[in-house]
Amino acid sequence: MVAEPGGSMDVRDDGAEVAPEDRKPQSDEARSAFVPPAGVERPAPPEEEHPTSEFALPSGLRAEPGPEPEGSAFAPPATYSAKNSPPAFTPAYGVPLVRLARDAPWQDRMRTMLRLPVGERPVPEAPRKEDESGPSVPRVLDLTLRIGELLLAGGEGAEDVEAAMFAICRSYGLDRCEPTVTFTLLSVTYQPSLVDDPVTANRTVRRRGTDYTRLAAVYQLIADINAPAHDEQAHEVTPEEAYRRLAEIRRNRHPYPGWALTTAAGVLAGAASVLLGGGLTVFFVAALGAVLGDRLAWLCAGRGLPEFYQFLVAAMPPAAMGVLLTLLHADLRPSAVITGGLFALIPGRALVAAVQDGLTGFYITASARLLEVMYFFVAIVVGVLSVLYLAVQFDAQLNPEGVLRAVERPVVQTLASMALSATFAILLQQSRATVLFVTLNGGVAWVVYASIAVTAGGSAVMATAVAAGLVGLFGQLVARYHHTSSLPYVTAAIGPLLPGSATYFGVLAIAQHNLDQGFASLAKAAALALAIAIGVNLGSELARLFMRAPGAAAARRAAKRTRGF
């Protein structure tokens, strides 16, 4: 209806305009059934008139923020509040998916999973090695513990032992398992589901032995058990077959007889004396002292004496041979004879494993290994110190400066370092196929060390760390190529870098009542030993940069407990 000009219009409750002539009251029949009576509030429009997206958040619910980057150490930590608790549903951006490359070595894949929280580990693949009734849980756990025992007794690091145990459990369908490794105790826990009781088994490691051939065989067994299902050439290893192969590995004889080990100990000491400037006569005298020490140590072991006394007795004959040359006024280098005999006794393998466990977060195992190294080191010091103290009483003129005087004979010393590494590999019972690489790796380590410390006049500690880093880098790359442990390719190669001369110089100074000078030299020996261990571990970590990571989102997170809050 259009109003006349100058007229006024009223508005009804329903929003329609009413002319003045139409303002009279209307009857109930004239009123629409859909128009509310006067005095009644107009109802809200129906929901269909205001459609919303099905993806819109309901009223009163806040959207969850996206993942925040790692905050600064100075940012205040977030606190939990019951009133403002985070939502308990899967976030819109989802949970980061970790995909493990199938062609990556099982060591890297299992280590990646172990470093992830339990809730963020990828869903396990369909188990391949189980029948319709499922695997026998106690039998699989026992097999896992027995294999882990051989690895830990052979000197393998705690993290690598846990990765091997985790790989075996997952290969037989036990994906919800947690292995735990300490210095003498292995345990593994498996929980079928959240409502079932967990099953836990443990095993104690009471005897340790160095046999890298056995260690390589155990790694081969683990690789066969963990072979991917899509590999047509892979042979499915049942638990019964794994038990049979494990028994064969335990019964397997060492690759080298006892006389070969004794001869290797003598050649190792002679080669070490040549590194320090000795000649052919010094080589044979040092070899004779090391052979006598090795035989005395075997005699003590046969009588059941602890290793502390075995190391103590083994360190005495080389020191006695050096003192004898001094009393005979022979124009030789007695200090080189004594130092050469110490190279075969310094526990470099245990030291590298101890530092590796500490750097990977296994502090209890690292502390126990370091304590073991300290006991062996004290035994060597006591054995040499006892002989040197008697020599001082007989007015033996032992000159410590001969040990520290650098001698440049590049070709002879390089060959001596290679011979030292080769004989060290024999003492470690390595496979003959790995001796050649270890020999070359030890020669490279000595060339790098001598170039920095002798030719360039640099720091001995820095030169040792750099050379050990190259040893760890090359050893880790070759080990990943063969899908085996890196110990056979690394341990013997660090032989030329062991701090034998610093140890002897410190012991001699203490015997001559120069305590400050003696303890300073022993501290230098400890620094050199730590440089070797840290360099080897750093080289191993750098080797992973040359290999494809098994999981893009599996980077290890920093531990906030080390940041001061």
Side-chain angles (χ1 to χ4, degrees):
M1 179 180 294
V2 181
E4 296 180 0
S8 60
M9 300 289 292
D10 290 345
V11 181
R12 294 186 308 187
D13 294 337
D14 58 356
E17 297 178 348
V18 181
E21 61 271 20
D22 297 330
R23 295 175 182 172
K24 60 181 180 179
Q26 297 179 357
S27 61
D28 293 340
E29 291 78 8
R31 186 182 299 273
S32 173
F34 300 99
V35 178
V40 179
E41 296 182 0
R42 182 180 180 87
E47 188 177 356
E48 287 76 8
E49 296 182 7
H50 299 277
T52 58
S53 172
E54 61 180 353
F55 299 102
L57 292 175
S59 177
L61 183 64
R62 295 181 300 175
E64 182 183 2
E68 298 181 357
E70 191 75 21
S72 172
F74 303 98
T79 56
Y80 176 82
S81 174
K83 296 181 179 180
N84 300 321
S85 60
F89 57 85
T90 303
Y93 53 84
V95 178
L97 178 63
V98 180
R99 296 185 181 274
L100 301 181
R102 292 178 178 268
D103 55 347
W106 65 265
Q107 298 99 315
D108 296 333
R109 289 189 286 115
M110 294 302 107
R111 186 183 291 107
T112 300
M113 295 193 64
L114 284 175
R115 292 181 177 182
L116 284 174
V118 178
E120 298 181 10
R121 291 176 182 173
V123 178
E125 301 175 358
R128 162 177 78 86
K129 300 177 174 64
E130 60 175 337
D131 51 15
E132 297 179 356
S133 60
S136 175
V137 174
R139 192 167 181 80
V140 173
L141 296 184
D142 180 72
L143 176 64
T144 302
L145 292 174
R146 290 179 181 274
I147 294 179
E149 178 189 8
L150 285 181
L151 294 178
L152 188 62
E156 195 63 80
E159 187 179 32
D160 293 330
V161 176
E162 281 196 359
M165 296 171 63
F166 193 70
I168 297 171
C169 289
R170 286 179 61 88
S171 297
Y172 290 111
L174 308 184
D175 55 283
R176 289 179 293 272
C177 65
E178 285 296 331
T180 304
V181 176
T182 59
F183 185 60
T184 58
L185 183 64
L186 300 169
S187 64
V188 57
T189 301
Y190 170 69
Q191 188 170 11
S193 65
L194 295 177
V195 297
D196 294 330
D197 295 332
V199 180
T200 302
N202 55 65
R203 193 174 184 86
T204 302
V205 179
R206 302 189 182 277
R207 295 190 61 183
R208 301 176 183 273
T210 304
D211 190 343
Y212 283 175
T213 302
R214 177 181 298 175
L215 188 67
V218 175
Y219 263 84
Q220 183 60 45
L221 173 60
I222 300 173
D224 293 341
I225 294 176
N226 199 58
H230 61 84
D231 191 356
E232 298 179 355
Q233 299 179 354
H235 170 66
E236 181 175 343
V237 181
T238 61
E240 289 72 20
E241 183 178 354
Y243 266 106
R244 181 185 58 79
R245 292 179 56 178
L246 190 62
E248 293 178 355
I249 293 174
R250 287 181 174 274
R251 292 193 302 264
N252 188 23
R253 300 182 61 183
H254 299 304
Y256 306 101
W259 63 268
L261 298 179
T262 302
T263 304
V267 176
L268 189 153
S273 66
V274 173
L275 283 179
L276 302 172
L280 186 60
T281 305
V282 172
F283 175 90
F284 285 107
V285 174
L288 179 60
V291 168
L292 294 176
D294 183 76
R295 288 293 89 190
L296 288 177
W298 277 103
L299 181 62
C300 294
R303 297 295 185 270
L305 290 179
E307 284 186 300
F308 179 87
Y309 300 104
Q310 298 177 27
F311 274 79
L312 190 151
V313 172
M316 296 178 70
M321 298 300 292
V323 170
L324 181 61
L325 291 180
T326 304
L327 294 176
L328 294 177
H329 301 284
D331 189 14
L332 298 173
R333 296 173 64 91
S335 57
V337 174
I338 300 175
T339 305
L342 300 181
F343 269 76
L345 300 178
I346 297 177
R349 172 183 57 87
L351 180 64
V352 171
V355 175
Q356 179 182 357
D357 289 342
L359 295 177
T360 52
F362 294 84
Y363 301 113
I364 297 179
T365 307
S367 302
R369 289 186 189 270
L370 286 176
L371 185 61
E372 181 187 37
V373 171
M374 186 190 71
Y375 270 104
F376 292 160
F377 192 76
V378 170
I380 297 172
V381 170
V382 171
V384 177
L385 187 60
S386 301
V387 177
L388 295 183
Y389 181 76
L390 294 176
V392 172
Q393 302 303 317
F394 286 98
D395 296 329
Q397 301 299 323
L398 296 171
N399 182 19
E401 299 299 329
V403 181
L404 300 180
R405 187 173 66 250
V407 179
E408 292 193 35
R409 295 184 299 177
V411 178
V412 175
Q413 290 179 325
T414 302
L415 293 177
S417 64
M418 296 174 66
L420 191 153
S421 300
T423 52
F424 204 172
I426 295 176
L427 289 177
L428 294 174
Q429 300 284 356
Q430 291 188 198
S431 174
R432 293 177 176 86
T434 63
V435 174
L436 178 60
F437 177 82
V438 169
T439 302
L440 297 177
N441 204 9
V444 171
W446 175 258
V447 169
V448 173
Y449 169 80
S451 300
I452 298 176
V454 180
T455 305
S459 171
V461 177
M462 181 187 68
T464 302
V466 173
L470 290 177
V471 169
L473 175 63
F474 296 152
Q476 192 68 235
L477 290 176
V478 175
R480 286 297 178 266
Y481 177 78
H482 293 286
H483 291 191
T484 184
S485 174
S486 62
L487 289 181
Y489 301 97
V490 171
T491 306
I494 65 174
L497 306 176
L498 294 176
S501 58
T503 304
Y504 165 70
F505 178 67
V507 173
L508 179 58
I510 294 176
Q512 295 175 345
H513 304 288
N514 298 325
L515 299 182
D516 294 339
Q517 188 178 5
F519 285 117
S521 182
L522 291 179
K524 179 182 178 181
L528 292 173
L530 290 178
I532 293 174
I534 295 176
V536 168
N537 183 267
L538 181 61
S540 300
E541 294 297 331
L542 290 177
R544 307 183 197 282
L545 299 179
F546 297 92
M547 297 178 293
R548 184 172 59 182
R556 189 177 189 182
R557 299 176 179 177
K560 292 187 176 181
R561 62 179 180 275
T562 62
R563 297 185 179 181
F565 60 84

